[in-house]
Amino acid sequence: MIDFIAWALTVEALGLIALPATFVLFSRLPYGGYAFSKPLGILLFSFLVWGVGLTGLVPLNRAVVLLIAVILLAACLLVVRGRLPEFLEYLKSQRWTIVVVDVLFLGSLVGWAFVRAHNPSISHTEQPMDFALLNSIVRAESMPPQDPWLSGHSVSYYYFGYVMHGVLAKVSGVEPAVAYNLAIALLFSLAFTGTFGLVSEMVAMHRKERGRRDILPVGFGLLGGLLMVWVGNLQGVAESVRSLGMGGEGSWGWVGVEGATTVPESSSFFPTEFWWWWRSTRVIDAADSFPAITEFPSFSFILGDLHPHVMSLPFVILPLVLGLTALASGKFFGPQWIRENKVAFLVIALSLGGLAFLNSWDLPLGLGLFLGTTFIASRRSVESWGREQTRDWAIFAGALIAASVVLYLPFYLGDRPSPLFPWILPVEGVHTRYIDYFLVLGLFLLVTIPFLLTLVFRHRRSDSMGGEWWRVAMIMVTPIVVWAVIVMLAGAVQGEVVESLAEIGWRFLWTLPLMALIGLALWLTLRLGAFSSVSAPVAFATLLVFAGLFVTLGPELFRIVDVFGNRMNTVFKFYYQAWILLAVASAFAVYYLFANWNWSTPVARAAGATAVGLVGLLIVASSMYSFGAIDNKAGSWPDSPTLNGLAFVGPPDSSERRALEFISRDAGPNSVLVEAVAVDDRGIPGGSYNIDYARISGRTGVPTVLGWAGHEEQWRGNRVGFRQRADDIRTIYTETDPIAVRDLLEKYAIEYVYVGRLERDLYGVPDTATFDIFMDRVFEAGDVAIYKVRQN
């Protein structure tokens, strides 16, 4: 409880520190943007800590980190020193907003901390890796942090999210094993309240334009939060339908989701298989050996991996609200705007640039959406558009892109043997079936398609609905033309021109329905966004629909080149972004359809009530996924819940728990240890996803010579030197020549040699007489012994 209170108070304090910046950025919004003060505070604070750490002038201990928080507070107060009465009035006018948002924040934080306390173990999937990086940040006295699984190197990954939660742990004094689970709860809460804030601002803005003020924004803001972090995809609904015995094996076999192709013998509302809820994230390309990942936020929070795509979620919402603010400002975004809004420009650049550092895939999305909204806002602010306006806006865009990169330049120039932005290849031979697409995003399609059609119908006679088709056609055709040219060139080189032509024609026809829907959303965005008479939130919602659908077109044409050699990760990253955008757009679309329905006649009222009931039923059914998945993952809910993610290792007096505590306490900031490394029958290092390996370094943050080599290869693009390191580790444990062992310890600057069950099983019992010549046995308990190099 003390850890939870310290964590929550730290986040609240950072939110309060960032209130002046929140005021500068969002005061024109109906609810003042208070819902975004906490992620903004965490972002600004973490950036400053990282920047100070890069200098190496002072150690990043708790006292220094607290001093940085004080400096941030002073800087934020300076921002409003000339606008203090206006700032105080802002706080007074938003007092009820502050109460509502904080109640939702604390309620969701408590709720998900409760869930994590009943399933806290950091023991599967990517969790050991995530925990290793978090521990590395907590231990770090400078930046960049050391790679816990490749000693002598800094982290070659986008690690800003780990910096954020690591500094929160330092300030609050919470141990990393507890901070890990509190970080998952915090991300859930920030994503929920951030989406609530964005949707409620959109609805309130639209209500204000129509001269109305009521409680509707709060209700639809809650809907947005639920769509973002709680609702599952329609495969979750299908799981319950199948589990109840409905449908035949032929129909489920046609759906084709691996593990769900037959009807169970006994019926229940939820399947009873181990981790049945995992299948919802393996819908597309399900028959392949590596199905595409179709993860979504509720699954992420239930799984509990503290991974970059999850940690970036609240901060992807920030560019969205910045874009909404820009669209509603009525300003032209050019050099003059930068001169008049230097602080806002800097904070926007920090927010956008931070996306690359959090999860590099999100940078093009965030920049594209924000620049798109500033372009629309600029067009709406002038009567005519010409070369001068284009030039000025382009200067603004170029300056923002440059600032976003320069602010995080040390990250781009860091320890990165592989390119930050890898090669791209065309997709051939696989495609997303319509049923699979519907299972993943169908809930949003059932709302956004009627929303788009309603807009076309309502504005069919408006002057704003003419033209623009040629621009839409050019934008829509460009990706598939580029793809077709590449495929044709490859076919010509390989002597398969006919096959390439068939592939091009077939793929064009297959993607045509999606392209038509994307084109409709883009056309509405261009036309409605260009006229100030059209509601800004409506134009913004159509932009979100366009962007959300457009990113799902990408994996049908191109894939990122990675170690897997397929489009698994490409679908994963783009569909996750699509979920974020479409969740926000869908919540506003439900409001818009509800608010603009003609309720005047009995028939219309009946039809409207039926539509509302069907949508509500579908949302409730999709929400049941989370209840079933949480219960299934938690298993038999423990009587003694805990937030300690290492409680599963054993009781506090167990040998390994005591060994972990010893190393954490005794090791210095530059210490290195050696432990067993996994190799296959050919002697090639691997060990990814095996929690027995690299667990000591991962659970303490003290770097080891080599940890999960598979993950290191993903980060660095190659395994150069990994096999030599694995061979050297074996030599350290098996060699009887003390000089040879000592040379290897000096080669890798090793200070600690860990000998536990795994090392004994893998290498045999080491000759302790060899170690005793130049090492001290500084810890021994049960089957664990730790040796430390003796200082001369």
Side-chain angles (χ1 to χ4, degrees):
M1 179 62 73
I2 294 176
D3 286 336
F4 176 87
I5 293 173
W7 186 268
L9 288 177
T10 300
V11 176
E12 287 283 0
L14 289 175
L16 292 175
I17 289 174
L19 268 179
T22 306
F23 162 72
V24 169
L25 290 173
F26 306 122
S27 60
R28 296 190 181 191
L29 294 178
Y31 295 134
Y34 178 76
F36 317 106
S37 61
K38 293 178 181 62
L40 185 60
I42 293 171
L43 173 73
L44 297 175
F45 178 54
S46 302
F47 176 81
L48 284 180
V49 172
W50 174 69
V52 171
L54 288 173
T55 67
L57 297 176
V58 291
L60 290 179
N61 53 40
R62 190 180 187 188
V64 170
V65 172
L66 285 171
L67 178 60
I68 293 172
V70 174
I71 294 172
L72 176 61
L73 173 61
C76 287
L77 290 176
L78 283 174
V79 168
V80 294
R81 63 177 179 176
R83 304 173 61 185
L84 188 58
E86 188 180 350
F87 176 58
L88 295 176
E89 180 59 32
Y90 160 80
L91 295 178
K92 181 180 178 181
S93 65
Q94 299 297 339
R95 58 187 182 277
W96 285 112
T97 300
I98 294 172
V99 171
V100 171
V101 169
D102 277 345
V103 167
L104 292 175
F105 168 74
L106 291 173
S108 54
L109 184 65
V110 169
W112 209 257
F114 176 83
V115 171
R116 291 303 304 167
H118 287 84
N119 188 24
S121 300
I122 308 170
S123 59
H124 58 69
T125 54
E126 306 268 14
Q127 292 181 355
M129 182 211 85
D130 297 324
F131 190 43
L133 293 175
L134 178 65
N135 273 307
S136 180
I137 295 294
V138 174
R139 287 188 57 81
E141 292 190 345
S142 63
M143 294 289 160
Q146 298 180 67
D147 188 330
W149 285 345
L150 195 68
S151 62
H153 293 266
S154 60
V155 171
S156 179
Y157 198 46
Y158 20 81
Y159 61 88
F160 197 25
Y162 302 103
V163 171
M164 290 178 174
H165 299 288
V167 298
L168 287 176
K170 281 191 176 185
V171 172
S172 62
V174 175
E175 291 296 319
V178 177
Y180 181 98
N181 285 307
L182 286 175
I184 296 291
L186 175 62
L187 291 165
F188 178 90
S189 182
L190 290 178
F192 174 74
T193 53
T195 310
F196 163 82
L198 176 55
V199 175
S200 62
E201 297 282 14
M202 292 172 67
V203 174
M205 192 181 299
H206 189 261
R207 303 296 285 173
K208 184 178 180 181
E209 291 171 353
R210 302 177 68 175
R212 299 178 183 178
R213 298 187 65 180
D214 48 36
I215 199 67
L216 281 181
V218 174
F220 286 99
L222 290 171
L223 173 62
L226 292 175
L227 290 177
M228 183 67 76
V229 302
W230 183 258
V231 168
N233 63 26
L234 294 184
Q235 174 58 26
V237 178
E239 291 284 355
S240 291
V241 173
R242 186 186 70 89
S243 185
L244 289 170
M246 302 179 188
E249 292 192 5
S251 59
W252 294 116
W254 172 74
V255 172
V257 176
E258 187 67 27
T261 57
T262 60
V263 179
E265 295 181 2
S266 59
S267 64
S268 60
F269 192 81
F270 294 115
T272 56
E273 304 105 293
F274 176 73
W275 277 29
W276 59 265
W277 44 276
W278 181 275
R279 292 192 290 260
S280 290
T281 66
R282 300 300 187 274
V283 174
I284 296 175
D285 302 341
D288 292 357
S289 56
F290 287 96
I293 301 173
T294 51
E295 190 170 330
F296 46 92
S298 67
F299 170 88
S300 304
F301 291 119
I302 294 167
L303 183 66
D305 285 7
L306 193 62
H307 225 45
H309 69 281
V310 183
M311 292 188 288
S312 71
L313 181 53
F315 303 95
V316 172
I317 296 172
L318 267 180
L320 302 186
V321 71
L322 287 169
L324 176 66
T325 306
L327 194 57
S329 67
K331 300 289 186 179
F332 182 92
F333 288 83
Q336 184 64 28
W337 186 92
I338 297 176
R339 287 191 291 269
E340 295 175 353
N341 300 273
K342 296 182 181 65
V343 173
F345 179 81
L346 176 62
V347 176
I348 291 170
L350 280 169
S351 300
L352 293 171
L355 293 177
F357 199 2
L358 278 159
N359 183 36
S360 296
W361 295 70
D362 292 331
L363 178 62
L365 177 73
L367 270 172
L369 282 171
F370 181 74
L371 291 177
T373 55
T374 60
F375 179 78
I376 294 172
S378 298
R379 283 193 62 182
R380 290 163 68 103
S381 68
V382 297
E383 294 184 1
S384 61
W385 188 272
R387 289 186 178 180
E388 182 180 350
Q389 288 75 24
T390 302
R391 181 203 62 201
D392 288 347
W393 178 83
I395 292 173
F396 168 83
L400 183 61
I401 293 172
S404 300
V405 173
V406 169
L407 286 168
Y408 294 92
L409 197 58
F411 162 67
Y412 293 101
L413 301 178
D415 189 355
R416 194 177 308 284
S418 62
L420 181 65
F421 300 105
W423 290 97
I424 297 174
L425 286 179
V427 170
E428 297 182 76
V430 295
H431 66 276
T432 301
R433 300 185 306 156
Y434 296 148
I435 181 61
D436 297 342
Y437 193 88
F438 184 76
L439 286 174
V440 177
L441 298 173
L443 175 61
F444 301 139
L445 295 177
L446 291 173
V447 175
T448 54
I449 291 176
F451 170 63
L452 297 179
L453 295 177
T454 298
L455 288 174
V456 172
F457 178 80
R458 286 178 60 84
H459 295 277
R460 66 190 185 280
R461 297 177 180 174
S462 171
D463 292 339
S464 67
M465 298 306 291
E468 300 292 358
W469 280 111
W470 66 275
R471 293 182 181 175
V472 172
M474 287 182 61
I475 294 173
M476 293 310 305
V477 167
T478 298
I480 198 164
V481 167
V482 172
W483 172 85
V485 169
I486 296 173
V487 171
M488 275 299 300
L489 290 175
V493 171
Q494 299 169 6
E496 300 175 350
V497 175
V498 175
E499 292 84 351
S500 296
L501 286 173
E503 171 77 11
I504 291 169
W506 174 85
R507 192 165 297 268
F508 176 79
L509 292 175
W510 190 264
T511 57
L512 188 58
L514 178 58
M515 288 195 295
L517 190 57
I518 295 171
L520 177 60
L522 176 59
W523 178 64
L524 284 167
T525 301
L526 292 175
R527 297 311 303 160
L528 298 181
F531 294 87
S532 57
S533 59
V534 177
S535 173
V538 174
F540 184 69
T542 61
L543 175 63
L544 295 183
V545 175
F546 159 70
L549 296 176
F550 187 76
V551 295
T552 65
L553 178 63
E556 301 305 309
L557 303 176
F558 300 99
R559 68 174 177 87
I560 303 297
V561 177
D562 57 23
V563 297
F564 300 103
N566 55 36
R567 66 172 187 161
M568 176 182 70
N569 266 331
T570 307
V571 171
F572 170 28
K573 296 293 188 177
F574 285 157
Y575 272 67
Y576 207 83
Q577 293 175 342
W579 187 284
I580 296 170
L581 301 176
L582 293 177
V584 174
S586 295
F588 182 81
V590 172
Y591 152 75
Y592 186 86
L593 293 171
F594 174 82
N596 288 279
W597 189 266
N598 182 6
W599 300 94
S600 61
T601 66
V603 174
R605 286 196 293 271
T610 301
V612 170
L614 289 175
V615 171
L617 179 63
L618 196 56
I619 291 174
V620 170
S622 299
S623 297
M624 295 305 295
Y625 169 88
S626 293
F627 287 110
I630 289 170
D631 185 66
N632 182 269
K633 188 170 189 288
S636 55
W637 289 61
D639 296 329
S640 302
T642 178
L643 286 168
N644 187 341
L646 292 181
F648 76 98
V649 174
D653 61 349
S654 65
S655 58
E656 188 158 312
R657 282 282 291 275
R658 290 171 56 194
L660 292 173
E661 292 173 359
F662 171 81
I663 292 177
S664 297
R665 181 177 61 252
D666 194 70
N670 298 312
S671 296
V672 176
L673 63 83
V674 63
E675 58 184 317
V677 64
V679 295
D680 61 19
D681 295 337
R682 299 167 297 170
I684 297 176
S688 293
Y689 306 107
N690 189 328
I691 66 169
D692 283 339
Y693 292 96
R695 69 190 189 281
I696 306 304
S697 53
R699 293 169 187 173
T700 62
V702 178
T704 188
V705 176
L706 182 61
W708 284 10
H711 274 61
E712 288 290 345
E713 181 184 9
Q714 292 177 44
W715 299 340
R716 300 177 185 276
N718 59 68
R719 292 194 180 197
V720 175
F722 290 1
R723 184 163 186 169
Q724 181 61 53
R725 287 191 176 223
D727 291 342
D728 288 345
I729 290 171
R730 173 175 288 278
T731 300
I732 289 171
Y733 282 105
T734 59
E735 179 60 62
T736 58
D737 180 359
I739 296 177
V741 174
R742 181 153 194 164
D743 286 346
L744 287 175
L745 295 182
E746 291 178 351
K747 174 182 178 180
Y748 296 108
I750 296 169
E751 186 175 353
Y752 298 92
V753 177
Y754 185 90
V755 181
R757 170 187 52 81
L758 187 60
E759 286 73 23
R760 299 178 195 278
D761 292 344
L762 197 61
Y763 304 120
V765 178
D767 185 349
T768 57
T770 302
F771 289 165
D772 289 338
I773 294 174
F774 55 90
M775 302 182 75
D776 296 320
R777 187 178 301 196
V778 292
F779 177 89
E780 187 170 15
D783 60 353
V784 177
I786 300 174
Y787 295 85
K788 185 175 182 179
V789 174
R790 189 177 302 133
Q791 300 299 319
N792 294 329

